[in-house]
Amino acid sequence: MRNNPYFCYSKKNTVMKTIQFREAICEAMSEEMRRDESIYLMGEEVAEYNGAYKASKGMLDEFGPKRVIDTPISELGFTGVAIGSTMTGNRPIVEYMTFNFSLVGIDQIINNAAKIRQMSGGQFNCPIVFRGPTGSAGQLGATHSQAFESWFANTPGLKVVIPSNPYDAKGLLKSAIRDDDPVIFMESEQMYGDKGEVPEGEYTIPLGVAEVKREGTDVTIVSFGKIIKEAYKAAEELAEEGISCEIIDLRTVRPLDREAILKSVKKTNRLVVLEEAWPFGNVSTDIAYLVQSEAFDYLDAPIVKINTADTPAPYSPVLFEQWLPNKDEVIKAVKKVLYK
């Protein structure tokens, strides 16, 4: 089993250690770079500065400047260089200081990385990971607080991963690096300091597999990324009122674990989807369509989706608090589908 590149470690009877989210990211990249010399990391400030969020701390010292590469502030340029290098046998990891900046290089991602395998008739694949923070991180203004998961997930040829804790982050990133197709790996500036347990030994988590983080019987809450914390808070409060919430962490939004969602909804008969994204044409919209088309007869209430307000993110802390989904909205949505 351990020779399998997608060996998945069981948490049971495993020696665990507690590390930060940023350390989980660094460990995943470092372990894979030790395993495979064709892997390298490039991006703004990833080398001399140890990463803008210290997610590559110590990697320059270990792997040297040929494998941990500081780039100019030119996402279009270094994204294209990295994608081109996959066609000569390399497996790059590209870090964006934020996925808002990936828009400068999105032509390379959408029109090249996502299409190389098909347009070459299978002669070339594109094993590359694009990673960095997504969504809001407090008072950073409208152009630094955007969630583009649904943009990338809309593109055939790309896989999109959004972990919510250190354990998932490390296991999923290792699988993403080993994948032979391009993977968008989205983190959060507000999670880099989060601590959690990860195994001491080797493990991976397969892409496209959701996890039930909390068992429940009354309502299913589907979410992913840092906003899922609001679902946990809501579930704790609702439990005091005798309401049992089942929480599914998608972990990967493309490919989507359709079976996990449908199985849960068929058990609870109610669905709330929580997502940090604008309300039009997003991941939660697709989930709502999936459930109403394949599990309509199991629903005892209309599906409720919770998103940000349909405006650019405000800078004002008072307005920002109203813009971003929170536990109170989750509680209100759960009671709505329960007719309470």
Side-chain angles (χ1 to χ4, degrees):
M1 284 293 291
R2 288 183 183 275
N3 293 324
N4 183 338
Y6 294 101
F7 172 73
C8 188
Y9 218 101
S10 171
K11 293 182 185 180
K12 296 180 180 179
N13 303 318
T14 302
V15 177
M16 307 291 280
K17 60 183 178 181
T18 300
I19 61 175
Q20 291 184 328
F21 191 101
R22 60 167 57 88
E23 293 173 303
I25 296 294
C26 186
E27 283 192 4
M29 293 190 294
S30 297
E31 289 174 12
E32 292 305 300
M33 287 175 69
R34 293 181 198 120
R35 187 184 61 85
D36 185 345
E37 292 187 356
S38 69
I39 300 169
Y40 69 90
L41 171 67
M42 72 187 310
E44 296 155 357
E45 299 183 351
V46 299
E48 296 288 346
Y49 192 65
N50 288 309
Y53 310 103
K54 301 298 180 270
S56 55
K57 186 176 182 180
M59 291 181 65
L60 175 62
D61 292 338
E62 179 175 357
F63 299 105
K66 289 187 177 181
R67 296 185 67 196
V68 182
I69 306 166
D70 278 330
T71 66
I73 303 175
S74 177
E75 286 78 11
L76 177 64
F78 67 74
T79 299
V81 168
I83 293 169
S85 78
T86 67
M87 302 176 76
T88 59
N90 293 288
R91 306 180 73 92
I93 305 166
V94 175
E95 178 179 310
Y96 296 117
M97 198 173 293
T98 160
F99 262 96
N100 296 278
F101 302 159
S102 75
L103 299 190
V104 183
I106 200 169
D107 173 61
Q108 296 284 4
I109 299 171
I110 302 297
N111 284 325
N112 293 315
K115 297 176 174 63
I116 284 175
R117 184 188 287 272
Q118 184 201 39
M119 294 183 71
S120 69
Q123 295 179 82
F124 294 100
N125 54 15
C126 187
I128 187 170
V129 175
F130 304 99
R131 51 158 295 269
T134 184
S136 61
Q139 289 180 262
L140 295 182
T143 59
H144 290 65
S145 304
Q146 301 168 111
F148 294 119
E149 292 90 318
S150 60
W151 284 31
F152 291 111
N154 185 254
T155 306
L158 298 180
K159 297 174 181 176
V160 182
V161 181
I162 308 100
S164 66
N165 59 77
Y167 176 87
D168 288 351
K170 182 176 179 180
L172 289 166
L173 182 53
K174 287 170 71 70
S175 291
I177 294 169
R178 298 181 191 189
D179 201 280
D180 286 333
D181 290 307
V183 179
I184 307 294
F185 195 92
M186 304 176 118
E187 302 151 17
S188 169
E189 292 174 51
Q190 293 184 321
M191 291 198 302
Y192 284 119
D194 288 1
K195 292 183 178 180
E197 289 188 334
V198 302
E200 287 280 3
E202 166 76 7
Y203 77 102
T204 62
I205 298 172
L207 306 185
V209 179
E211 183 177 35
V212 177
K213 298 293 190 183
R214 182 187 180 111
E215 297 277 356
T217 57
D218 293 329
V219 59
T220 297
I221 303 174
V222 176
S223 189
F224 56 90
K226 77 172 188 291
I227 203 67
I228 199 172
K229 296 178 183 180
E230 300 302 313
Y232 297 146
K233 295 175 189 175
E236 288 295 327
E237 290 194 20
L238 288 164
E240 296 176 1
E241 300 180 36
I243 298 172
S244 175
C245 299
E246 179 149 298
I247 300 178
I248 295 179
D249 187 344
L250 290 178
R251 305 196 294 195
T252 302
V253 300
R254 176 117 184 189
L256 185 68
D257 191 344
R258 300 158 59 93
E259 291 75 18
I261 298 168
L262 292 171
K263 180 180 178 181
S264 180
V265 170
K266 288 177 181 179
K267 179 176 73 171
T268 66
N269 310 119
R270 295 170 175 85
L271 175 63
V272 171
V273 189
L274 170 64
E275 178 186 9
E276 183 183 345
W278 295 307
F280 184 84
N282 49 41
V283 176
S284 54
T285 302
D286 200 66
I287 292 170
Y289 175 78
L290 164 69
V291 173
Q292 70 84 26
S293 62
E294 298 193 25
F296 181 81
D297 290 340
Y298 290 88
L299 290 172
D300 288 341
I303 300 165
V304 175
K305 56 196 282 293
I306 305 170
N307 300 106
T308 65
D310 198 14
T311 68
Y315 179 79
S316 161
V318 176
L319 293 176
F320 183 81
E321 185 177 352
Q322 295 296 313
W323 179 83
L324 189 68
N326 56 51
K327 70 175 178 65
D328 293 333
E329 291 180 67
V330 179
I331 291 171
K332 181 180 178 181
V334 167
K335 290 185 176 181
K336 182 177 181 179
V337 298
L338 289 169
Y339 300 109
K340 292 189 176 182

